[in-house]
Structure formats: C-alpha cells, structure tokens
Amino acid sequence: MIYTITLNPSIDYVVQVNQLNLGELNKMDNEMMFAGGKGINVSRVLHELAYDTTALGFLGGFTGDFIVEALREKSIQTKFTPIQGATRINIKLKADSETEVNGRGPGILPAEADSLLHQLEHVTNHDTVIISGSTPPSLPNDFHKQLADQIAANGASFVIDTTGEALKSVLGYRPLVVKPNKEELAELFGVTLRHQDDVIYYGKQLLDLGARHAIVSMAGEGALLFTEEGIYHGQTPRGQVKNSVGAGDSMIAGFTGKFKETADVTEAFRMSLAAGSATAFADDLAKAEDIFQLQEKIAITRISGKVKEENHEH
Ligand SMILES: Nc1ncnc2c1ncn2[C@@H]1O[C@H](COP(=O)(O)OP(=O)(O)OP(=O)(O)O)[C@@H](O)[C@H]1O
Ligand SMILES: O=P(O)(O)OC[C@@]1(O)O[C@H](CO)[C@@H](O)[C@@H]1O
C-alpha cells in the first residue's frame, strides 16, 4: 500500500477571471473546487495510475466533508484523522498569470496529532508512506521527525515532499526520494543557483545528507535525477501549459508508483516526468491515458557518473 499523509489538506478554489482589475469588482468567468493538498493530489494520481493508495492526514469542518466526499466519489481510500478545526481553502486565481493564496491551516490539538502517529503503527515493511505539503502552524516543530521515526520503526519506506527545516530534519532517515524544485533547493541551502552546475552540486548534497534518490524539477526545463549510480536529465515534452497546480505532486506519484512496481529508477523518473507534464497540460490533475502517451516522449540522458565517489573528491 502507498499511504499519503497530508498534514494540511485544502479545498482548492480555482477562480478564472479573464481580465483582472485589482481594487475593483471582478466577475468570475469560471470557478471550480477540487479536493487538494499535496498528499491528496499524490493519492489521486496514484489511484488514476491504478496503484493502491490510502490518503491519511488531518481533516475537519464542512471543508473536510467536501474533501471526503470528493475522494469517495472517485473511489479513493481514505483514513483521515478527524480534527475540531476546519480544513483550509486555498485560492488559485487564474488571470493573465496564476496567483495562489494559500491558507495557513487549522489548529491541531495534541490528541489529534497523537492519533495520526498511532495510525502509523499499522504500516509494515511492504508499505511506502509519502508525506507531502506544508505543516499547520500549531504542530510541534519536530512533527516530521516523529512521523519518520514511527515509519522507520515499522520498516516502511517513505518519501518526503516538503520544504526547509522539516525536509532537512528527516533526510537522515533515508527517504526513497525527495523532489524540491529549483527554487526550493536554493532556499534549502540558502544559495542562488545560477547554472546547471550549481543545481548539480546542491542536488548531490541531498544524497550526502541521506536521500536515496533526489529529483530537482525545473518546470519546462525538465528535471535532474540524482542516484548513487549517476545523474540523469529528463526532458519534458512540449505542450500548452494550462495548470501548474499539482504538477510536482504528480511527479511524486509517478516516481513512487513506478519504482514500487519495477525498482527501475530511470523508468520511475520517466513516469514522474510524464505525470508532471500531463498535469501541467490539463485543467485538473493528469489522466492515466495522457500520462502513458507522454511517457513515450520523455528523453532521459545520463549526464554524470557515480555521485557518492565524485562528492568525496570535493
Ligand atoms: N512548461 C512546462 N512544459 C512541460 N512540462 C512542465 C512545464 N512546467 C511544468 N512541467 C511539468 O511539471 C513538473 C513539475 O514542475 P515544477 O518544476 O514547476 O515543480 P513544482 O514547482 O513542484 O510544481 P507545482 O507547481 O506543482 O508546485 C516538471 O518537471 C514537468 O514535468
Ligand atoms: O501549502 P502547501 O501544503 O505547501 O501547498 C498546498 C497546495 O498549494 O499544494 C497543492 C499543489 O501542489 C494544492 O492542491 C494545494 O493548494
């Protein structure tokens, strides 16, 4: 089973305004609501690709009910931890450009946090747990470490897609894959990444800090995959970008699902890029048939040899 944990789910309220006039009354040209939050998106794409998945995380209020119902309609398994607070609503404003306004998230009571940790006592060494997205502000700073501890104690593998200290704090638990985008990588190390060589240097550091694989996504410029055996560049296919929300989550789903199925890291990378681009080219998250079609078009080039040995030379 591939579990996803979304500590801070959301309703994604997508609002399209063809001509946005700030400071004036605007009328929506289109509006949509999706069950969102990074881990939930990962579960949606895993399910689309027919991988077994269960979505975990904190959920409460009428917004939480909306999410449960939306996932039930898609037959996606869920075991959310109920909370007293209300799940947030994130605004995705589509005008000439895309603007996102994300909520901070509800308060989580200590008993609610414990309840999620207890749920993880049931995962086994056959399972993979994907922890994705931001953390509601009321959770303790070391909550990711507590999760990783529990997952490691049960022998399950895990994937982490978050930022900053929360990400750094669990790299030593040897996550199967981490996937910062270029900006998140720069922020993680407090540097500016000007050239591909800079991205390669800091991407390698993720492995030195403990990650088993790292993907650095670079939007339309594709992505770099770091493994102990080498570094690879994956080219994204050309297409019309309609929606970047969830493209990164689709990459995580594509990689984790395919890797669990085949243990072939370059094929997992190919599926990851296909899923990311298929979402970028769609209004909502990617459809399986589009992912499979794009898979054929992803070119992967090996650009460097053994990462660990090279790093020792620095
Ligand atoms: N212009 C594009 N053309 C083709 N594919 C794209 C484009 N932009 C994004 N993608 C696809 O989406 C993936 C993720 O994009 P990006 O690097 O922006 O990640 P991210 O910032 O994590 O995404 P998100 O917007 O979901 O937070 C890329 O690796 C690629 O597969
Ligand atoms: O605030 P976070 O948890 O970092 O991001 C939340 C979010 O922007 O990420 C998803 C897309 O990746 C959306 O469904 C959701 O609104």
Side-chain angles (χ1 to χ4, degrees):
M1 175 64 68
I2 305 179
Y3 292 98
T4 60
I5 301 182
T6 315
L7 300 176
N8 211 357
S10 59
I11 290 184
D12 288 347
Y13 185 35
V14 183
V15 172
Q16 197 186 327
V17 180
N18 293 342
Q19 172 71 47
L20 179 68
N21 299 308
L22 284 176
E24 291 179 27
L25 173 68
N26 295 274
K27 297 245 163 111
M28 294 176 192
D29 290 290
N30 199 4
E31 61 178 319
M32 289 175 283
M33 276 187 206
F34 296 107
K38 294 198 191 309
I40 288 173
N41 291 340
V42 175
S43 272
R44 284 185 56 200
V45 177
L46 283 169
H47 181 75
E48 180 67 27
L49 289 168
Y51 294 116
D52 278 342
T53 182
T54 301
L56 311 176
F58 300 114
L59 217 55
F62 72 97
T63 39
D65 294 343
F66 173 91
I67 290 174
V68 171
E69 184 55 28
L71 297 180
R72 204 178 56 82
E73 269 173 23
K74 293 183 188 295
S75 306
I76 296 174
Q77 290 185 60
T78 62
K79 277 192 191 147
F80 288 109
T81 304
I83 57 166
Q84 280 181 22
T87 293
R88 64 187 169 153
I89 298 176
N90 290 345
I91 300 164
K92 315 290 173 184
L93 176 60
K94 297 195 178 196
D96 287 342
S97 56
E98 279 183 11
T99 305
E100 297 184 58
V101 186
N102 284 2
R104 288 189 183 280
I108 309 289
L109 300 172
E112 295 165 349
D114 283 348
S115 167
L116 177 57
L117 285 166
H118 285 314
Q119 251 186 317
L120 291 179
E121 287 167 4
H122 303 293
V123 302
T124 73
N125 58 358
H126 298 294
D127 299 323
T128 301
V129 183
I130 303 177
I131 309 169
S132 283
S134 64
T135 318
S138 52
L139 281 174
N141 283 340
D142 69 343
F143 196 67
H144 282 85
K145 257 187 115 187
Q146 294 185 41
L147 292 171
D149 249 340
Q150 183 62 61
I151 295 163
N154 294 2
S157 58
F158 86 107
V159 172
I160 176 93
D161 183 22
T162 190
T163 52
E165 284 310 310
L167 171 58
K168 262 194 189 149
S169 73
V170 296
L171 286 173
Y173 289 86
R174 309 232 57 215
L176 174 67
V177 67
V178 295
K179 193 221 69 65
N181 62 29
K182 207 163 119 183
E183 293 71 34
E184 288 162 349
L185 183 69
E187 191 198 314
L188 192 68
F189 290 103
V191 294
T192 307
L193 301 173
R194 289 200 178 81
H195 308 290
Q196 180 161 293
D197 282 355
D198 303 335
V199 181
I200 290 177
Y201 181 80
Y202 287 101
K204 284 177 184 174
Q205 304 276 316
L206 295 170
L207 296 204
D208 278 358
L209 290 169
R212 289 167 57 197
H213 305 100
I215 296 175
V216 179
S217 63
M218 303 177 296
E221 292 168 52
L224 291 168
L225 167 71
F226 298 81
T227 76
E228 283 187 14
E229 289 74 41
I231 304 172
Y232 301 81
H233 179 260
Q235 190 61 56
T236 42
R238 282 177 195 281
Q240 199 203 335
V241 176
K242 288 192 184 161
N243 157 53
S244 71
V245 176
D249 309 331
S250 305
M251 291 188 83
I252 296 275
F255 184 92
T256 311
K258 195 67 175 180
F259 189 83
K260 211 168 159 68
E261 181 191 343
T262 64
D264 182 330
V265 72
T266 44
E267 281 316 302
F269 185 42
R270 195 186 305 283
M271 177 71 103
S272 171
L273 282 158
S277 293
T279 288
F281 301 157
D283 284 323
D284 184 13
L285 298 180
K287 292 274 169 254
E289 58 189 87
D290 297 329
I291 299 175
F292 295 137
Q293 261 182 23
L294 286 184
Q295 235 183 320
E296 317 281 315
K297 299 186 182 160
I298 307 282
I300 294 177
T301 324
R302 187 182 167 99
I303 57 172
S304 173
K306 288 202 168 162
V307 168
K308 286 270 169 164
E309 279 176 17
E310 282 177 10
N311 257 3
H312 291 154
E313 287 162 18
H314 275 283

